[in-house]
Amino acid sequence: MKKDWFQKFFISTGLAMFILLGSCVSGAPQAQAKTTNVSDSKQQLVDIVLRPKSQKSLHKFVYDSVNPSSSSYRSFVTPTTFSKRFGQNSKNVKALQTYLKKHHLKASTYKGNLIMVVQGKTKNIEKAFKVNLVNVNNGEVKYQKASRTPKLPKRLSKSVYTIFGLSNYSLFSSSKTQYQPTSLHSRLTNSSVSNTTQKYSPTRFVRRYNLQSLYDNGATGRSKTIGIISFANFHPNDVYRYWDDEGIDVKSNRLSVYRTNHYKGTWDGYDETTIDVEQAGAIAPGSNIRTYIARPNITGMVNSIAAAVGQNVADSLSLSWGQSEAQVAYEMKQGITPKKYNQIMNLLFEQAAAQGMSVFTATGDNGAYDGITTGLTSGLSVDTPSNSPYVTAVGGTTLPKTYTVNKKKVTITKERAWGADFLYPNYKHQRFFGNLDMLQSFFAGGGGGFSKYNATPSYQKGVSGVGTYNATDLWKFKYGRPVLLKKAVNKSGKSSGRNLPDVSANADPNTGYSMFITPKNNRNSKGQWLITGGTSVVAPQMAAASVLMSDFNTNGRLGFWNPQIYRFAKRSNSPFNPLDSRTNNTNLYYTGQPGKLYNQATGLGTIDFTSLNKAFNS
């Protein structure tokens, strides 16, 4: 799950439970913060986002590439062709590089001509972009920012969409990740390890969602590559040990790592990278896995995606890290995150789509309240980059299981949206390790809702359930603080914006999957087996299932999923199982919409991959 380091405390008052968030923004810049000039010799890394030739033409091509009625159907382009047709003109790119070289700065562009990386000393960056870089210390956190908006000569600025990276701010501290993994773990006891491969094996995903026919017909993900976007290192030996103990036969050289901007990596969040690689490789045993590791900030996120798309090696991409839209909004207001961040991400995902790459993102593990543990969300919020209309946003479900709740047996009889609501009676009596633990328990569920940054995409329009919602309100927010209601309130209505998730699968750690991991500083340790969950487990599983299905496709890639799957969902033989129940089916706010194809708790629902494979390859 997303890790947060805010100080919180919990007060229980009878039937109502009150969560006081204390200092809501512990890293917020303060009026009396001290500033000093950044050292002239400090090395800087700045991104210039280049304007595409025509966003309208790019948008049209992306949709035509997955439209069977179009002459461009599955005629995906290479990064070189993308650069020529849609990226910034090479002549203008060279002019920018020449200007920067005169200022003793190195500039290189990822294939596609959308992102240029500029590196050099502070003094040269300041002259080239006409800014002054300062260090800010507010007593709690230190960060770097630019004193003014960066500028380039007018003749060059016409080719530039925006510039970012001059501000170097981490919400917590320089040693903590700004992008946080969305996975949950519970430890297996030694006595249960032998049962792990049976009960919590990835074969649970295979059986539950009907993938076996793909294997029976020879699919393994052969000659395909799954790209994992991450921000932490991992032990390859852990991954091979996992596959071996699960009885999954793989080749010995399937793993590769790309270190974006030569980043050596951190071990904070290494469990997330481990999970992603283990799950992707287990579902598609014949595939290669290429992990992109970058600094855990916006520049790292953008550059890793630009690198992966520019290399064009990966047939599908999985991304299990993100921020809530509420957190992004806060950082934009502080001048930390570029105001065009949403558009930058969309541009890169459009390039991926034009090249036929399928991208899958985790929607988060705080239900409809994404980022609640950061203290920056005072209500409903969704995750970014899952909010992008050019990715397939993956939500979470929970599987049938019997629980003891307040000393009574409670049985989940069928797969439903993942939400911890049915466990709330237990939490009145439970002692938590801290308020973060408490928040993660109450607000555990699959992400979903409406984006405030992206409009409803065309493929969602006309699909029943999109733009309308049913909800069961369990919480109210008083002075930005969540209070559990004495009695839930049923609601329904309409809303606008990109609806997410698109699809869902089992993500609840109570019904989750096995993983194997050794301590970050002791790869020779015996290691441990865990049960893991979170939408970040499902994203790499989906990316793997995609390359399995592409084994049957003559073009080798399935391309941008969303316009295709929403079209399939309207058919009488839909490959989706809508989880549309109004009751016992919530992601802590949104519920199913009976009789409708879509809801914001689980999207189009779960997938029958045998049926989906036929739809993709018919």
Side-chain angles (χ1 to χ4, degrees):
M1 176 174 283
K2 294 182 179 180
K3 305 173 190 173
D4 308 302
W5 288 270
F6 287 94
Q7 298 299 315
K8 309 177 181 72
F9 59 90
F10 176 71
I11 302 173
S12 178
T13 55
L15 293 175
M17 296 180 193
F18 188 76
I19 300 167
L20 182 60
L21 295 178
S23 177
C24 285
V25 185
S26 67
Q30 304 294 319
Q32 298 181 356
K34 297 180 180 179
T35 62
T36 57
N37 289 328
V38 176
S39 169
D40 283 348
S41 60
K42 181 182 178 180
Q43 288 294 315
Q44 302 286 340
L45 190 152
V46 178
D47 274 4
I48 298 177
V49 183
L50 304 168
R51 290 185 183 277
K53 287 187 177 72
S54 171
Q55 286 185 266
K56 184 177 180 180
S57 297
L58 173 56
H59 181 80
K60 182 178 185 302
F61 179 79
V62 164
Y63 278 83
D64 283 348
S65 71
V66 289
N67 181 359
S69 301
S70 171
S71 59
S72 298
Y73 181 54
R74 290 187 176 165
S75 296
F76 305 124
V77 298
T78 64
T80 299
T81 302
F82 182 92
S83 297
K84 293 177 180 177
R85 291 183 60 177
F86 306 113
Q88 181 52 239
N89 187 287
S90 295
K91 182 179 179 180
N92 294 334
V93 171
K94 289 180 180 178
L96 268 169
Q97 290 174 324
T98 299
Y99 169 79
L100 294 166
K101 187 176 181 179
K102 289 180 179 178
H103 287 81
H104 309 289
L105 300 171
K106 295 180 181 179
S108 59
T109 306
Y110 293 105
K111 289 184 179 179
N113 280 8
L114 291 180
I115 304 294
M116 177 181 288
V117 179
V118 183
Q119 299 181 70
K121 294 180 180 179
T122 298
K123 62 180 182 180
N124 297 324
I125 289 285
E126 289 178 326
K127 290 179 181 178
F129 294 101
K130 298 177 173 58
V131 295
N132 180 41
L133 299 181
V134 295
N135 292 314
V136 183
N137 184 349
N138 68 2
E140 295 183 15
V141 66
K142 299 176 182 179
Y143 59 97
Q144 175 184 295
K145 67 177 294 185
S147 61
R148 63 180 71 90
T149 302
K151 291 183 179 181
L152 288 168
K154 190 173 182 180
R155 61 184 175 82
L156 299 175
S157 61
K158 293 179 181 179
S159 307
V160 175
Y161 190 60
T162 192
I163 301 166
F164 72 96
L166 294 166
S167 295
N168 181 9
Y169 177 84
S170 173
L171 188 59
F172 310 112
S173 72
S174 60
S175 63
K176 301 299 183 183
T177 55
Q178 188 166 346
Y179 286 93
Q180 298 300 337
T182 55
S183 61
L184 297 155
H185 313 301
S186 59
R187 185 173 301 184
L188 290 168
T189 62
N190 290 334
S191 61
S192 65
V193 170
S194 61
N195 297 323
T196 302
T197 57
Q198 297 176 11
K199 189 173 182 181
Y200 299 102
S201 166
T203 56
R204 166 177 276 187
F205 181 85
V206 173
R207 292 192 301 267
R208 186 80 195 178
Y209 305 114
N210 204 12
L211 272 81
Q212 189 59 48
S213 68
L214 279 66
Y215 300 124
D216 292 343
N217 286 291
T220 64
R222 57 186 178 274
S223 302
K224 302 293 190 301
T225 298
I226 302 168
I228 305 292
I229 304 294
S230 197
F231 299 92
N233 296 319
F234 70 103
H235 295 312
N237 287 343
D238 289 355
V239 178
Y240 284 111
R241 163 76 185 275
Y242 178 77
W243 293 328
D244 185 58
D245 282 18
E246 292 285 355
I248 300 168
D249 186 24
V250 303
K251 56 188 178 183
S252 60
N253 61 344
R254 68 186 307 210
L255 297 180
S256 63
V257 174
Y258 178 85
R259 297 192 177 278
T260 306
N261 305 129
H262 307 289
Y263 179 54
K264 293 182 179 179
T266 177
W267 288 94
D268 192 356
Y270 82 111
D271 51 346
E272 181 59 57
T273 312
T274 305
I275 293 164
D276 291 356
V277 177
E278 287 180 351
Q279 291 297 319
I283 300 300
S287 65
N288 296 313
I289 311 292
R290 187 163 177 78
T291 306
Y292 294 82
I293 299 176
R295 291 189 179 279
N297 56 33
I298 285 173
T299 306
M301 170 74 87
V302 169
N303 287 357
S304 265
I305 296 172
V309 175
Q311 291 173 8
N312 203 32
V313 171
D315 301 279
S316 67
L317 282 179
S318 173
L319 212 167
S320 295
W321 303 64
Q323 297 170 292
S324 70
E325 284 192 342
Q327 183 175 331
V328 171
Y330 165 78
E331 292 178 5
M332 285 182 179
K333 187 176 180 180
Q334 299 300 326
I336 299 158
T337 293
K339 292 183 178 180
K340 293 180 179 179
Y341 173 61
N342 182 70
Q343 294 92 322
I344 296 167
M345 298 296 282
N346 285 344
L347 267 178
L348 290 172
F349 291 135
E350 280 194 276
Q351 181 181 347
Q355 294 172 192
M357 301 168 72
S358 304
V359 183
F360 303 87
T361 60
T363 57
D365 299 340
N366 297 139
Y369 302 91
D370 191 71
I372 187 71
T373 55
T374 66
L376 295 174
T377 301
S378 58
L380 303 172
S381 186
V382 298
D383 193 81
T384 172
S386 285
N387 64 346
S388 172
Y390 301 103
V391 303
T392 300
V394 183
T397 67
T398 187
L399 301 182
K401 185 175 180 177
T402 297
Y403 300 82
T404 299
V405 180
N406 204 19
K407 299 181 179 181
K408 296 179 180 179
K409 296 292 183 183
V410 173
T411 300
I412 304 301
T413 59
K414 59 183 180 180
E415 189 166 8
R416 53 154 282 182
W418 174 32
D421 55 301
F422 63 93
L423 296 173
Y424 279 8
N426 277 353
Y427 298 155
K428 293 181 182 180
H429 313 290
Q430 182 172 328
R431 292 190 65 180
F432 295 98
F433 294 108
N435 285 292
L436 176 59
D437 180 35
M438 181 271 299
L439 282 173
Q440 288 175 338
S441 297
F442 274 99
F443 289 93
F450 298 88
S451 171
K452 295 180 180 179
Y453 286 98
N454 292 294
T456 307
S458 59
Y459 55 77
Q460 288 190 323
K461 294 178 180 178
V463 175
S464 63
V466 170
T468 63
Y469 67 88
N470 287 335
T472 298
D473 201 354
L474 303 170
W475 297 88
K476 68 177 179 180
F477 284 78
K478 188 173 183 180
Y479 306 113
R481 302 161 181 167
V483 180
L484 185 63
L485 297 173
K486 294 180 180 180
K487 185 177 180 180
V489 179
N490 289 330
K491 296 181 177 180
S492 60
K494 297 181 179 180
S495 191
S496 59
R498 192 267 206 261
N499 290 224
L500 59 150
D502 297 303
V503 294
S504 293
N506 173 37
D508 187 348
N510 291 302
T511 58
Y513 300 92
S514 61
M515 73 171 293
F516 179 80
I517 193 166
T518 55
K520 58 186 178 182
N521 295 322
N522 186 6
R523 69 182 69 183
N524 296 318
S525 166
K526 291 181 179 179
Q528 60 183 330
W529 286 88
L530 304 172
I531 302 170
T532 185
T535 55
S536 61
V537 175
V538 190
Q541 289 174 332
M542 289 287 178
S546 184
V547 299
L548 287 179
M549 291 186 290
S550 67
D551 272 351
F552 302 103
N553 190 280
T554 55
N555 289 359
R557 288 183 175 180
L558 299 180
F560 180 25
W561 266 39
N562 291 10
Q564 302 177 85
I565 64 175
Y566 280 88
R567 187 168 65 245
F568 301 155
K570 296 177 182 179
R571 297 176 179 175
S572 58
N573 60 343
S574 169
F576 302 100
N577 174 35
L579 305 183
D580 62 353
S581 175
R582 180 73 172 87
T583 59
N584 300 318
N585 186 39
T586 173
N587 72 338
L588 307 182
Y589 185 76
Y590 297 105
T591 71
Q593 300 187 73
K596 295 186 178 181
L597 297 178
Y598 182 90
N599 63 71
Q600 295 77 24
T602 57
L604 296 173
T606 60
I607 302 174
D608 179 321
F609 280 101
T610 294
S611 179
L612 183 60
N613 183 47
K614 291 178 181 177
F616 268 126
N617 294 298
S618 61

